[in-house]
Amino acid sequence: MTDPYQQWQVPQRLARLKDLVYNLWWSWHPEARALFKEIDRNLWRTTYHNPVLLLQRSLPRLDALAKDEGFLSRYDSVIRIFDEYLDDQYTWFNRKYPQAKGQRLAYFSAEFGVHNSLRIYSGGLGILAGDHCKTASDLGVPLVGLGFMYPQGYVQQRISVDGWQQNVYEQIDWSVSPIRPVMTPKGENFLMGFHLGPLDLQVAVWEIVVGRVRLYLMDTHVEGNSAQDREISGRLYGGDRTMRLRQEILLGIGGARLLKALDIPAEHYHINEGHSAFMFLEKVREQVVAGKSFAGAAKDVASRSVFTTHTPVEAGHDVFSEGLITEYFNKYWTELGLEQEQFLELGRTPGQAGWNMTALALKMSGQRNAVSQRHGIVSRRMWAKLWPEQKEEEVPIKHVTNGVHLSTWLQQDLGWSFFQHLGRDWPEKQDDASVWAQVAGIPDDEIWRAHMRNKEELFKLLRDRARDRWVSRNAEASQVLTQGALLDPQALTIGFARRFAGYKRATLILRDLARLRGLLLDHWRPVQLVFAGKSHPADDSGKALIQQIYHLAKDPSFGGRIVFVEDYDMHVARYFVQGCDLWLNNPLAPLEACGTSGIKAAINGVPSLSILDGWWEEGFNGANGWAIGEPGGRGAGEAADAADAEDIYAALEKKIVPLYYEHGPDGIPHGWIKVMKESIKTVAQRFCGNRMVKDYVKMFYGAEAAPQPAGARTTAQVGS
Ligand SMILES: *Cc1c(COP(=O)(O)O)cnc(C)c1O
């Protein structure tokens, strides 16, 4: 690999454009995106908002722009804001924890969803990690991310004419993506040798810059590695058990070694899911090799680490056979100062055979948390077996409810409205309730116009995609209709978009088709249902759910009012959460650890009709949306499904549809807008990224606020 940054030149006057495109800072700063769009708006669209590709393809045009006064002044202004952001020493973290300045925090995740142009995420976990990094950057938290670079990314979805998901993998072209290979000072590719048990390989490293935060991603697709070893980082969540174990060894142990090899030591560790739990062993081994006892070293490592579990489903936790573990670790445990039995005990769970990665992480970490209040209850119950002496409520797993990075998910016009009505500093004060109380003062028609524009943008995206498909991939006409060609911008539009895993019950609203048809085809008060989501490439039951929806989308008796949009990703997700009217979420409670798409929708004034599970059980207040089911769920089975579906139909028929279509004399649905405002007001403050990251920062660096350093600026306000 060569460093693409070195490969091409931009005009001297615009030299900083190269720095700008390689820092994902642009992805949440509208002024930077506007600049890219100005360079070439067609290319901006056809490259799916990838500025590296845009720049490489518009070099001739840049020569002209380098002489264009108007463009130059906008360029200078963006670069100034960019530099101010990067150079700011007066961050929340520095003000609050001056004594911890520079004490790095390593954040491990198997996937990072930062932007669509980097397809190395599959869903919720990755996007949460991406939002976490962006928020940490905004707050000045000294975080460094560790993960994998997957040359083939995650599966892309095509739907065949009979509705079956086709898994498409495309080798990603990294020379045209906002990511760079790490090089040695001599200008060669940085390579880390990695040996453990039968593993003996070379690892290349990639860097993604996210504002002030850097992510380091390991890649085994390196010359000299065997074909099998190259596959280790081949694709996200692919391969068999052995492959999975190799991935997790590299992620945890390789990740820890990489920080040393790059000479960026970290004092604190944040582990997401059991995937990277081997990290604990490596940090302990370092100290044991240097002379400490296992117990002493383990205690020290625990005191610096937080483990976050994201999965309330038993099957979602990785378990490996002890035979397989032994094959890889039969030298390693001596370096930990342990006997085989003592070592294997670290991964054991009472009542279950094998080595459980979550059990390992729970035992080795000093603090543990689930990702919502309900998920905390579920996790304490699930893992009480590891603390047999303790009462269930006292099992040491707390919760930090997830949040989303507001600037990433908030629609731009609304963002401007907030500047006007909430104050210029609302982004810094986003976790302060008094800021959001002022949402009430935004005129209804301003909110409504912004919303209707979003809706039009969503429909335009869907029509463009349908048209592209019609033009270039010789689709049948019915396939074009399934993509949303007949959508009506005036009709109440319900969005349902997420991974197609069984427990998410995507087809619940289809239980009574006659009743659903009545809602959809009402001549004066029509409803439309827009679905999107991928199934895991190996999950045929998930694909069958997609097929069921797809068949209805093709069925003329639903009048084109059921839509299934192909290839759900962050780009589509943004349009969905900003442009639908209502967000539907009906997983089987209590299996939704938190859920974040409903939060993204709510901050855009798109209220939820959702199961009382995950974040919504905390967020729902009776006036900011609608609830399905009961706290903790009705259990699994036919009767529970029927009762939950009844809740959905009844809420739509009796409350939601009438409210949506009740317009004032000015043509504006003031009752509906009240719910929209209540949704923004109550959700943004409690489920924003700043609140979440600050909660974690307190777990690492302590809750006590440090005294304000002398000479503190007075204009900027410190958040809570
Ligand atoms: C937010 C998001 C998710 C996660 O949504 P959930 O509600 O947690 O299921 C998945 N995929 C994409 C593309 C997202 O943006």
Side-chain angles (χ1 to χ4, degrees):
M1 316 155 240
T2 47
D3 181 357
Y5 184 92
Q6 309 293 351
Q7 300 300 301
W8 39 278
Q9 301 293 333
V10 297
Q12 191 53 36
R13 178 67 176 84
L14 300 173
R16 298 294 309 286
L17 272 180
K18 273 169 70 172
D19 297 330
L20 190 63
V21 298
Y22 280 106
N23 188 328
L24 273 295
W25 176 87
W26 55 258
S27 72
W28 73 97
H29 288 86
E31 47 287 60
R33 291 203 307 275
L35 194 71
F36 298 147
K37 194 170 172 187
E38 191 179 339
I39 292 175
D40 188 329
R41 49 177 207 181
N42 280 328
L43 261 181
W44 183 237
R45 193 178 85 85
T46 52
T47 60
Y48 292 105
H49 300 184
N50 174 350
V52 176
L53 191 54
L54 170 89
L55 223 53
Q56 291 189 17
R57 291 202 179 151
S58 38
L59 295 181
R61 171 132 174 79
L62 290 179
D63 287 330
L65 287 171
K67 300 184 192 91
D68 176 334
E69 292 293 324
F71 181 81
L72 289 176
S73 93
R74 286 182 288 278
Y75 163 81
D76 289 338
S77 143
V78 170
I79 296 297
R80 184 174 43 77
I81 302 170
F82 178 51
D83 285 340
E84 276 171 14
Y85 180 95
L86 294 181
D87 297 340
D88 186 8
Q89 294 302 310
Y90 199 72
T91 62
W92 171 82
F93 185 82
N94 284 353
R95 275 178 277 141
K96 189 110 176 168
Y97 299 96
Q99 73 285 5
K101 198 171 171 184
Q103 277 189 26
R104 231 177 257 112
L105 165 59
Y107 183 95
F108 285 74
S109 174
E111 45 172 313
F112 285 93
V114 182
H115 185 261
N116 211 52
S117 49
L118 295 168
R119 230 175 305 102
I120 50 172
Y121 62 89
S122 79
L125 178 68
I127 289 159
L128 183 79
D131 278 14
H132 196 110
C133 292
K134 292 173 192 168
T135 311
S137 170
D138 289 345
L139 293 172
V141 179
L143 182 143
V144 54
L146 275 309
F148 275 124
M149 209 290 275
Y150 303 95
Q152 298 177 350
Y154 190 60
V155 66
Q156 287 175 267
Q157 181 192 53
R158 296 281 172 276
I159 305 290
S160 72
V161 69
D162 69 340
W164 199 249
Q165 169 174 309
Q166 315 291 307
N167 307 325
V168 181
Y169 289 95
E170 255 172 41
Q171 197 74 25
I172 301 173
D173 183 353
W174 297 104
S175 65
V176 293
S177 305
I179 180 170
R180 293 172 64 185
V182 174
M183 311 296 274
T184 65
K186 282 198 211 136
E188 288 159 356
N189 285 303
F190 173 91
L191 284 175
M192 176 177 79
F194 183 82
H195 314 278
L196 192 144
L199 276 174
D200 183 1
L201 41 101
Q202 294 291 318
V203 183
V205 184
W206 297 77
E207 182 184 70
I208 298 179
V209 187
V210 184
R212 282 183 273 250
V213 161
R214 278 157 204 268
L215 312 185
Y216 293 99
L217 307 182
M218 291 176 280
D219 176 8
T220 61
H221 199 87
V222 171
E223 226 171 281
N225 283 344
S226 69
Q228 198 195 16
D229 286 344
R230 288 185 193 198
E231 278 299 306
I232 291 178
S233 72
R235 27 175 103 161
L236 184 52
Y237 307 136
D240 59 9
R241 299 311 296 163
T242 304
M243 184 57 82
R244 182 86 171 206
L245 177 64
R246 288 160 162 252
Q247 281 190 331
E248 297 190 358
I249 288 173
L250 187 58
L251 181 60
I253 298 179
R257 290 184 186 171
L258 179 60
L259 287 175
K260 292 199 115 176
L262 294 174
D263 197 21
I264 38 179
E267 288 78 17
H268 304 276
Y269 320 103
H270 189 172
I271 299 297
N272 287 281
E273 292 289 47
H275 307 139
S276 33
F278 288 128
M279 190 267 347
F280 290 108
L281 302 182
E282 179 65 8
K283 296 313 290 181
V284 171
R285 191 189 67 96
E286 280 173 14
Q287 296 193 25
V288 172
V289 170
K292 245 194 183 163
S293 70
F294 177 86
K299 194 166 166 215
D300 177 69
V301 171
S303 74
R304 304 152 175 274
S305 54
V306 169
F307 168 62
T308 305
T309 173
H310 298 259
T311 310
V313 188
E314 286 277 1
H317 299 266
D318 276 318
V319 181
F320 299 106
S321 76
E322 292 190 347
L324 189 60
I325 291 288
T326 300
E327 209 179 298
Y328 282 79
F329 286 91
N330 62 10
K331 296 232 166 50
Y332 197 89
W333 62 59
T334 13
E335 294 180 42
L336 285 169
L338 298 180
E339 303 287 333
Q340 176 171 13
E341 268 308 294
Q342 293 171 306
F343 178 77
L344 291 176
E345 193 54 37
L346 295 174
R348 282 182 187 150
T349 326
Q352 187 195 41
W355 171 282
N356 185 312
M357 293 300 286
T358 306
L360 173 70
L362 289 168
K363 289 178 195 180
M364 301 293 292
S365 52
Q367 300 194 64
R368 311 153 191 92
N369 73 284
V371 291
S372 71
Q373 197 173 336
R374 171 66 55 183
H375 182 221
I377 297 170
V378 172
S379 301
R380 285 188 289 276
R381 183 172 313 147
M382 191 163 175
W383 297 103
K385 53 199 170 193
L386 293 182
W387 286 272
E389 316 282 292
Q390 241 118 313
K391 286 205 225 96
E392 194 177 297
E393 317 80 86
E394 287 160 8
V395 167
I397 304 177
K398 295 181 278 198
H399 76 270
V400 173
T401 304
N402 286 340
V404 306
H405 185 249
L406 297 190
S407 313
T408 293
W409 297 105
L410 190 67
Q411 196 273 335
Q412 214 169 306
D413 288 349
L414 266 182
W416 297 127
S417 262
F418 292 171
F419 275 135
Q420 223 184 338
H421 300 278
L422 277 52
R424 296 293 308 177
D425 54 354
W426 75 261
E428 293 92 75
K429 292 159 81 181
Q430 58 183 261
D431 49 348
D432 177 346
S434 68
V435 168
W436 297 102
Q438 303 174 79
V439 168
I442 306 178
D444 281 7
D445 67 327
E446 191 172 320
I447 292 235
W448 190 242
R449 268 188 286 121
H451 176 66
M452 288 309 272
R453 262 197 306 277
N454 295 343
K455 201 168 167 183
E456 192 41 60
E457 288 291 322
L458 167 67
F459 288 11
K460 186 164 164 335
L461 174 84
L462 302 187
R463 277 195 308 269
D464 282 352
R465 289 188 149 209
R467 185 175 296 107
D468 286 350
R469 175 116 210 215
W470 178 235
V471 171
S472 64
R473 300 224 305 270
N474 52 26
E476 288 181 11
S478 63
Q479 281 177 289
V480 176
L481 297 187
T482 63
Q483 297 286 301
L486 287 181
L487 284 173
D488 170 3
Q490 302 302 321
L492 169 61
T493 303
I494 304 177
F496 183 102
R498 47 188 53 83
R499 278 183 309 112
F500 270 65
Y503 77 90
K504 302 254 191 189
R505 297 193 297 186
T507 54
L508 192 67
I509 195 171
L510 311 177
R511 273 183 79 91
D512 185 341
L513 288 178
R515 202 163 167 190
L516 179 64
R517 195 178 280 114
L519 276 162
L520 301 190
L521 296 186
D522 186 298
H523 184 73
W524 302 108
R525 302 190 307 182
V527 174
Q528 321 176 112
L529 264 175
V530 188
F531 290 93
K534 295 174 190 169
S535 155
H536 185 282
D539 176 12
D540 281 353
S541 61
K543 291 181 198 165
L545 297 176
I546 292 175
Q547 189 174 42
Q548 201 182 333
I549 292 168
Y550 198 81
H551 281 159
L552 296 182
K554 269 177 130 180
D555 181 342
S557 79
F558 287 95
R561 295 206 194 276
I562 297 180
V563 168
F564 188 92
V565 179
E566 277 180 339
D567 209 27
Y568 185 56
D569 60 14
M570 282 181 83
H571 186 68
V572 179
R574 265 173 76 141
Y575 282 85
F576 262 65
V577 298
Q578 296 171 356
C580 290
D581 294 308
L582 181 74
W583 199 251
L584 177 67
N585 187 25
N586 46 237
L588 184 63
L591 300 185
E592 181 95 318
C594 177
T596 49
S597 58
I599 303 174
K600 300 169 192 165
I603 58 165
N604 283 293
V606 176
S608 274
L609 166 60
S610 176
I611 285 276
L612 286 171
D613 192 13
W615 80 276
W616 190 233
E617 192 182 336
E618 294 164 49
F620 175 61
N621 72 355
N624 59 359
W626 296 270
I628 309 166
E630 293 159 10
R634 289 177 161 130
E638 270 299 302
D641 284 357
D644 286 348
E646 174 59 33
D647 283 359
I648 295 175
Y649 294 127
L652 286 171
E653 290 162 352
K654 298 202 188 91
K655 297 178 187 156
I656 296 171
V657 175
L659 187 66
Y660 184 83
Y661 283 103
E662 192 186 304
H663 290 192
D666 52 1
I668 290 179
H670 296 282
W672 184 264
I673 293 166
K674 202 166 164 216
V675 182
M676 292 175 71
K677 286 183 173 176
E678 185 70 13
S679 147
I680 298 170
K681 188 177 113 188
T682 55
V683 175
Q685 179 245 332
R686 291 178 56 200
F687 303 96
C688 62
N690 280 15
R691 194 274 305 143
M692 168 178 73
V693 170
K694 286 181 184 180
D695 280 355
Y696 280 112
V697 165
K698 282 177 205 151
M699 292 171 80
F700 289 106
Y701 302 93
E704 283 312 304
Q708 285 280 306
R713 257 196 322 221
T714 46
T715 45
Q717 292 292 316
V718 188
S720 64

